Amino acid sequence: MTIRRTAAVLAATVLLPLGAAHAVDLEVTHWWTSGGEAAAVAELAKAFDATGNKWVDGAIAGGGDTARPIMISRITGGDPMAATQFNHGRQAEELIEAGLLQDLTEVAEKEGWKDLVRPSSLLDACTKDGKVYCAPINIHSWQWMWLSNAAFEKAGVPVPKDWYEFEKAVPALEKAGIVPLAVGGQSWQSKGAFDVMAIALAGIDTWKKVYVELDADAARGPEFAKVWAAAAKARDWSKDTKVQDWNQATNMVITGKAAAQIMGDWAQGEFQVAGQVAGKDYTCLPGLGVNEIISTGGDAFYFPKLDDPEKTKAQMQLASVMLSKETQVAFNLKKGSVPVRGDVDLNAANDCMKKGLDILAKGNILPDSTMTMSPDTTNQLQDVIVQFWNTPSMTPEEGQKRFADIIAQAD
Ligand code: GAL
């Protein structure tokens, strides 16, 4: 063989990345379209591409309420993606029952997810009839309030340490022309804020009775009436938000146009992309500063069955790489969430994430309501709360009655 031919063969061999012969494109759908979310998705894509396969991004704008029906109809309609995000809990229950999702038990057992994933409730939420159907990839807690230090400085009041001090600061904020509480127009945002207030203001016991035991009497009771009274105030404090997406509301806090936002810790990704520093530019109050709690919400990836052995193999590789130590750290630091593995070093975590990790370590955790209620019940409650939020004439008593009536029929 001539030198030229040998060199050509060598070059071709060297240039061909390992495994390229089996390089497979996988379409992955999710609803992560904000700046922080996109930065986090890029870490997942990078990790998967490094396996020699290719992440084909299928971002769906408009948030989970818009994306999930699209994901479900594609899977049930015979046009499945290779992997898709859902929240921890029961959102994919019917897809599993219909036999449309890959069984991941083999990769879960091979990689010891049972010993790695904490709290174990996250893997339990992926498991049906002893088989594993999703890869949990993060812990997101709704139980946070984000405060703009600059807004309180402008209003001449100290940064509140809890919900009650925030309430006292509202007149000064309004006088300074600052929106006290930013709540975007997407329905899940007022529902989420209400649920956080429920834990903080009705207390954990009453919250468990209503959201876990589905006890309608507790939902009608005086402890829960406190939540509705506070929600009526929060509705007024947020009336000038005038944005739709959650990250636009977060941006109002980042720019000081609004003083506060009750939002899950995915908001951290936005502060990070804006170059803001926890403690210096913004303050985070876990459990609204009333009871330090985190809820184990967050995200898991499910893998629809595909009639293609190469793609199926690549799906298992994607599930595996999502839970690797390196990916867990790189993705979660950008996402503002806590890794599902307890054996990773998060020394790069900021002050707020460290607060969350401490609370998690103390075991002060509650399930997210996506894990305790069916999607149907969640949507019905969300409809009542968003109507209450958008109807100043609707009294707290009326809201509480309608909410409790749904709890009475909940599953
Ligand atoms: C949640 C999801 C988060 C997040 C948020 C806003 O349901 O768990 O990852 O990004 O939606 O899009």
Side-chain angles (χ1 to χ4, degrees):
M1 192 187 291
T2 66
I3 291 175
R4 181 192 298 274
R5 174 117 182 88
T6 307
V9 167
L10 186 64
T13 311
V14 167
L15 285 177
L16 196 62
L18 282 177
H22 305 292
V24 173
D25 287 5
L26 289 190
E27 181 196 11
V28 185
T29 51
H30 56 82
W31 58 83
W32 292 328
T33 55
S34 76
E37 291 171 330
V41 168
E43 293 297 339
L44 294 179
K46 192 167 82 177
F48 185 55
D49 289 355
T51 65
N53 296 299
K54 184 95 190 80
W55 172 291
V56 177
D57 200 65
I60 302 171
D65 286 349
T66 301
R68 285 190 293 272
I70 295 169
M71 294 160 172
I72 290 170
S73 61
R74 278 193 57 187
I75 296 169
T76 53
D79 173 27
M81 65 299 291
T84 190
Q85 170 203 2
F86 284 111
N87 291 124
H88 296 312
R90 302 173 53 182
Q91 291 170 355
E93 209 165 57
E94 293 179 6
L95 296 172
I96 294 169
E97 284 159 4
L100 295 170
L101 301 180
Q102 290 285 14
D103 173 0
L104 305 177
T105 309
E106 189 181 333
V107 68
E109 287 178 350
K110 183 163 152 275
E111 315 219 340
W113 289 2
K114 211 164 183 58
D115 304 320
L116 286 181
V117 173
R118 60 95 177 85
S120 57
S121 57
L122 300 185
L123 196 58
D124 295 345
C126 286
T127 306
K128 192 159 181 72
D129 304 332
K131 293 180 178 169
V132 177
Y133 287 98
C134 62
I137 69 161
N138 64 4
I139 300 170
H140 264 317
S141 171
W142 250 108
Q143 314 308 318
W144 292 91
M145 189 171 190
W146 309 97
L147 305 171
S148 160
N149 295 356
F152 290 93
E153 191 178 344
K154 180 180 174 189
V157 290
V159 176
K161 293 184 187 61
D162 63 28
W163 174 261
Y164 304 107
E165 288 188 10
F166 170 68
E167 185 171 6
K168 289 195 188 86
V170 164
L173 293 167
E174 288 176 327
K175 192 155 170 259
I178 294 166
V179 174
L181 186 68
V183 177
Q186 289 163 329
S187 306
W188 60 270
Q189 293 183 51
S190 44
K191 164 73 165 56
F194 180 91
D195 292 349
V196 173
M197 290 163 69
I199 294 179
L201 306 180
I204 293 170
D205 292 344
T206 301
W207 179 85
K208 282 182 180 172
K209 284 199 185 94
V210 175
Y211 284 78
V212 181
E213 297 160 27
L214 304 178
D215 175 344
D217 290 338
R220 291 189 184 96
E223 285 307 302
F224 214 63
K226 290 176 192 169
V227 188
W228 282 99
K233 291 176 186 170
R235 171 175 67 184
D236 181 52
W237 299 340
S238 64
K239 65 184 181 298
D240 295 325
T241 304
K242 308 280 187 230
V243 297
Q244 186 63 11
D245 293 348
W246 70 271
N247 49 308
Q248 294 170 306
T250 309
N251 191 257
M252 289 176 72
V253 176
I254 288 169
T255 56
K257 289 192 185 68
Q261 181 186 27
I262 298 174
M263 185 48 69
D265 44 20
W266 47 88
Q268 287 249 63
E270 305 311 297
F271 287 101
Q272 219 172 154
V273 164
Q276 291 208 337
V277 176
K280 174 175 163 293
D281 302 306
Y282 67 98
T283 299
C284 52
L285 295 180
L288 305 187
V290 177
N291 46 30
E292 298 226 332
I293 200 88
I294 72 157
S295 51
T296 53
D299 308 292
F301 275 83
Y302 293 77
F303 301 81
K305 283 179 180 167
L306 301 174
D307 186 15
D308 176 334
E310 283 294 291
K311 284 192 185 269
T312 302
K313 186 173 152 236
Q315 286 176 308
M316 298 308 136
Q317 283 180 285
L318 177 54
S320 169
V321 83
M322 282 176 157
L323 265 80
S324 74
K325 282 188 174 184
E326 302 73 21
T327 309
Q328 276 290 301
V329 173
F331 166 75
N332 282 289
L333 282 179
K334 290 275 175 60
K335 192 73 176 62
S337 41
V338 169
V340 295
R341 298 179 61 137
D343 62 346
V344 291
D345 184 1
L346 274 177
N347 53 14
N350 69 21
D351 290 359
C352 291
M353 185 178 272
K354 285 195 174 111
K355 280 185 186 176
L357 287 165
D358 288 347
I359 295 169
L360 183 65
K362 286 178 197 155
N364 297 347
I365 61 174
L366 288 176
D368 189 282
S369 64
T370 52
M371 301 167 87
T372 64
M373 293 176 167
S374 70
D376 182 44
T377 296
T378 299
N379 290 336
Q380 287 182 56
L381 296 174
Q382 187 167 292
D383 290 347
V384 169
I385 290 164
V386 75
Q387 188 183 0
F388 174 79
W389 220 271
N390 296 324
T391 316
S393 60
M394 189 168 164
T395 64
E397 293 75 18
E398 169 65 17
Q400 182 171 8
K401 180 188 174 310
R402 290 181 55 194
F403 187 99
D405 290 348
I406 292 167
I407 294 293
Q409 312 292 330
D411 66 338

